[in-house]
Amino acid sequence: MRATAKAHTNIALIKYWGKRDESLILPTNNSLSVTLDGFYTETTVAFNEALKQDQFTLDGQSISGVQYDRVTTFLDLVRDVAGKKNLYAAVDSVNKVPTAAGFASSASGFAALAAASARAIGLSLTDQELSRITRQGSGSACRSIYGGFAEWEMGKRADGSDSYAVPIAPVDHWDIRVAAVVLNATKKKVSSREGMKRTVDTSPFFASWVESNPVDLNGIKAGIKHRDFEKVGEIAEANCLKMHATTLGANPPFTYLQDTTLTVMQAVQAMRANGIPAFFTIDAGPNVKVLYLPENERTVEKTLRGIPGVTDVILSKSGQGVTYL
Ligand code: 2P0
């Protein structure tokens, strides 16, 4: 009745931006990511008949409120699948995702929680089944089940049974690197959940965002297959810019890009002009992630550290999928 799982966070190269069903967490487009070895969550789940409710500690602190509610709502789902309605759990999570780096810890967090809780309650799930359940904790988490590159297939069905991630290429297929650029920036005002919703509901650019997705997706999959870094980088950077463009058309309009974000974007493009292949991608926040190849690591790190407003640069390789400890 007890299991421990480790899951890494991931960075989307083709972004998930928009839901067609908010409670089941069903997206309006496929997305594709690379799992990162530098950032992870380890979670132990112990179901215990003596417990009257779930307990949740994160980095040794007892958690209540919205974060606790998201965990218990997710465990209800696992209990439901296992047919063990009133069996509560003690959940103990340790997060190795520095919040300053601007990665959503919800991806590694829900992937580790899903894997540990499913195993602890005695469910034996395929990766696809695990990914489908994980999706209902947090959308991007469903891609963290796999190492290397993974694609979340949006699915068509209203019940979400065909919406889960699948592996695209394992971690040893291609050694591409990601630098997380930490910026001197202000806290974001619009959460990704709220930002996504506002964009879907009000942005006239949203329809074209969805429409242009299959071309980006097919192009990047071909690029990954042939280890074509320029192609993958160009598509990832353009896809990220399209996502951010949708927010400017929302009502009320908003953007996650800050002045320091733009400075880093321009520095990355200047590196390219100087012959160093490097490309940026940005999630629902001000921080920038830079894609590069191992042979350029020193130059890329040095250049990024020299940009005004950059407070840290954290380098990562691509990482493994879920493991059990
Ligand atoms: C992604 N993001 O594909 C995109 C790119 C942000 C920008 O997934 O509501 O925390 O839990 O499904 O997964 C952030 O949203 O949202 C996200 P929910 P999530 O990585």
Side-chain angles (χ1 to χ4, degrees):
M1 295 261 96
R2 177 191 183 91
T4 301
K6 175 177 177 178
H8 294 89
T9 191
N10 67 74
I11 179 78
L13 306 180
I14 302 295
K15 305 295 187 191
Y16 148 51
W17 194 244
K19 292 185 181 74
R20 64 189 160 93
D21 183 313
E22 289 185 28
S23 68
L24 288 174
I25 309 196
L26 297 174
T28 47
N29 66 274
N30 288 23
S31 55
L32 187 146
S33 60
V34 58
T35 301
L36 299 177
D37 81 337
F39 312 94
Y40 60 90
T41 304
E42 272 177 20
T43 298
T44 299
V45 177
F47 286 97
N48 182 342
E49 278 160 12
L51 290 174
K52 298 271 181 292
Q53 59 176 39
D54 295 316
Q55 297 168 354
F56 176 37
T57 66
L58 179 60
D59 297 328
Q61 303 260 25
S62 179
I63 303 290
S64 58
V66 180
Q67 266 185 305
Y68 173 85
D69 294 344
R70 275 184 80 176
V71 168
T72 54
T73 304
F74 184 79
L75 289 173
D76 286 344
L77 198 75
V78 174
R79 282 186 274 265
D80 203 33
V81 175
K84 292 181 178 163
K85 213 166 177 235
N86 295 313
L87 183 59
Y88 296 104
V91 176
D92 196 0
S93 260
V94 178
N95 240 347
K96 302 283 184 191
V97 185
T99 36
F103 284 109
S105 54
S106 63
S108 54
F110 277 99
L113 176 66
S117 60
R119 180 164 287 205
I121 210 163
L123 290 173
S124 161
L125 304 177
T126 62
D127 282 350
Q128 212 166 80
E129 289 164 338
L130 180 59
S131 176
R132 188 167 52 205
I133 288 195
T134 305
R135 187 202 78 225
Q136 295 182 68
S138 181
S140 53
C142 80
R143 300 183 305 238
S144 274
I145 302 304
Y146 307 96
F149 296 89
E151 178 184 357
W152 175 10
E153 296 180 346
M154 61 176 284
K156 287 195 169 63
R157 294 186 203 135
D159 67 358
S161 56
D162 56 353
S163 186
Y164 45 73
V166 297
I168 292 297
V171 69
D172 59 3
H173 169 70
W174 195 14
D175 184 8
I176 81 164
R177 308 276 170 98
V178 175
V181 185
V182 185
L183 299 175
N184 193 356
T186 54
K187 202 177 163 344
K188 67 180 180 189
K189 295 186 186 76
V190 185
S191 73
S192 54
R193 275 200 178 178
E194 136 119 61
M196 243 185 243
K197 181 166 166 39
R198 196 189 298 174
T199 306
V200 175
D201 291 347
T202 66
S203 178
F205 308 151
F206 186 71
S208 354
W209 156 254
V210 170
E211 200 182 294
S212 72
N213 175 266
V215 174
D216 286 358
L217 196 68
N218 288 336
I220 210 161
K221 279 157 78 173
I224 292 167
K225 189 174 173 192
H226 299 111
R227 300 185 192 86
D228 181 342
F229 186 68
E230 299 275 336
K231 180 167 184 164
V232 167
E234 271 169 22
I235 294 172
E237 193 171 294
N239 183 268
C240 143
L241 289 171
K242 273 190 265 187
M243 177 199 119
H244 286 274
T246 66
T247 72
L248 296 173
N251 183 13
F254 64 103
T255 184
Y256 294 110
L257 312 177
Q258 297 188 16
D259 51 357
T260 43
T261 316
L262 293 167
T263 306
V264 177
M265 289 160 70
Q266 284 162 352
V268 170
Q269 290 174 336
M271 265 196 268
R272 281 214 298 282
N274 289 324
I276 303 292
F279 297 86
F280 63 75
T281 184
I282 303 154
D283 278 343
N287 290 311
V288 183
K289 313 294 178 308
V290 178
L291 309 171
Y292 63 93
L293 290 170
E295 58 265 33
N296 297 315
E297 185 154 280
R298 286 177 64 106
T299 315
V300 169
E301 184 182 11
K302 191 162 173 270
T303 307
L304 294 173
R305 284 192 184 277
I307 301 169
V310 170
T311 57
D312 201 5
V313 175
I314 309 169
L315 308 178
S316 182
K317 297 181 181 181
S318 89
Q320 299 290 346
V322 159
T323 51
Y324 297 91
L325 306 172

